Amino acid sequence: ATSCNDVTKNKMTFSSRRRNYMLVSHRRDALIELIKQLLKHSFVLDALAESAENTWRHIEELIEEHRLSNDGTSRLREAVPTIGTFFTALPLARAWQRYDTKYKVSKRRFVSPSFNEIRQILNSAQILAFEKIDHDHSLRIENAENNHSSLEFVSFDGDCTLYSDGKNFNDAELAQQILRLLIRGIRIALVT
C-alpha cells in the first residue's frame, strides 16, 4: 500500500487521482471558501431555494463596495485579506439564477454547492458583466460614433471552468456568449 506522502510526491495520472481523491491536496480560494460558508446555512436548513439568491446579492454588494473603496479597506477585504481587484461589477444573483435553472442546485438535499460550481457561477457572472459592458459600449458607439472598446482580452481556464475535468466543451449558450465577444473584436484565450 502506498502512503499519502508517496502518492503526493509522485506525479499522478488522471485515474490514480480519482482513486486517491482524498489523499491529494485540493485547490483553495479564500473568496470561494467564504461563499461556500455563506451558502452553507441555507443548505443545512434546506432553504437554498429561498435564500441563495439573497446570499449572492449580498456577495455582489460586498464586491461592489470593495471595487469602490479608495483606500483598499472593505468588509470583503476583512473577510478575505488576500482578495484582489475586481475590474467589473459581477451580477452574481443573475448568474446563480441561470446556473440553478440549468443544474437545479437548490433542489439538492445531500450535496451542497461545490468549489467548482461556485467557481463556474463566478465565471458566468464575469461573462454576464462583459455582456453588459459590451451592450453599454454599443449604446455609447451609437451615441458618440466611437468604435474603441475598453475590453480587449478575456482569458478562460478550460478544465473545470468551461467544461468538466476530462470532458469536452459543449455549452451552446456559453459558446454564443464567447462568439459575441469574438465578433466584437475581443481576443479570447482558452488556457488548460
Side-chain angles (χ1 to χ4, degrees), residues 7-183:
V7 171
T8 55
K9 283 180 190 174
N10 298 327
K11 191 167 189 147
M12 299 176 67
T13 65
F14 179 72
S15 59
S16 65
R17 276 197 313 267
R18 277 197 171 156
R19 283 191 308 273
N20 299 305
Y21 180 79
M22 297 305 292
L23 301 177
V24 178
S25 64
H26 297 285
R27 288 176 277 187
R28 291 278 188 227
D29 180 279
L31 176 61
I32 293 177
E33 293 299 323
L34 172 69
I35 294 169
K36 281 180 74 171
Q37 285 301 114
L38 292 172
L39 290 169
K40 190 175 190 173
H41 75 279
S42 297
F43 178 76
V44 169
L45 297 173
D46 197 20
L48 205 55
E50 295 82 25
S51 64
E53 189 172 331
N54 287 333
T55 301
W56 285 107
R57 281 193 208 294
H58 178 67
I59 298 163
E60 275 182 42
E61 291 169 12
L62 291 174
I63 289 172
E64 192 60 19
E65 174 190 285
H66 180 71
R67 287 183 65 231
L68 299 174
S69 170
N70 291 329
D71 60 0
T73 61
S74 67
R75 292 180 293 166
L76 186 58
R77 167 94 49 210
E78 287 179 26
V80 183
T82 59
I83 198 74
T85 303
F86 292 89
F87 297 101
T88 61
L90 293 179
L92 293 167
R94 195 164 138 222
W96 161 256
Q97 290 168 344
R98 292 175 83 166
Y99 192 83
D100 191 45
T101 298
K102 184 171 183 176
Y103 295 105
K104 310 291 187 232
V105 176
S106 63
K107 303 289 184 214
R108 297 194 307 223
R109 294 188 59 202
F110 302 108
V111 180
S112 64
S114 71
F115 175 94
N116 286 337
E117 288 173 320
I118 292 171
R119 193 169 108 180
Q120 192 157 14
I121 292 166
L122 288 166
N123 291 334
S124 296
Q126 187 65 74
I127 291 171
L128 292 171
F130 288 151
E131 184 179 72
K132 181 178 180 344
I133 288 169
D134 191 51
H135 174 71
D136 292 349
H137 176 67
S138 296
L139 293 176
R140 283 196 306 273
I141 289 171
E142 289 172 12
N143 293 335
E145 297 182 11
N146 176 6
N147 278 330
H148 182 68
S149 172
S150 60
L151 180 63
E152 296 177 11
F153 176 77
V154 179
S155 175
F156 295 100
D157 177 33
D159 292 340
C160 297
T161 303
L162 294 176
Y163 49 85
S164 298
D165 193 21
K167 302 289 182 184
N168 294 321
F169 178 73
N170 62 1
D171 187 331
E173 186 177 343
L174 183 56
Q176 286 298 318
Q177 299 290 346
I178 292 171
L179 182 60
R180 278 193 218 146
L181 294 172
L182 287 168
I183 288 169

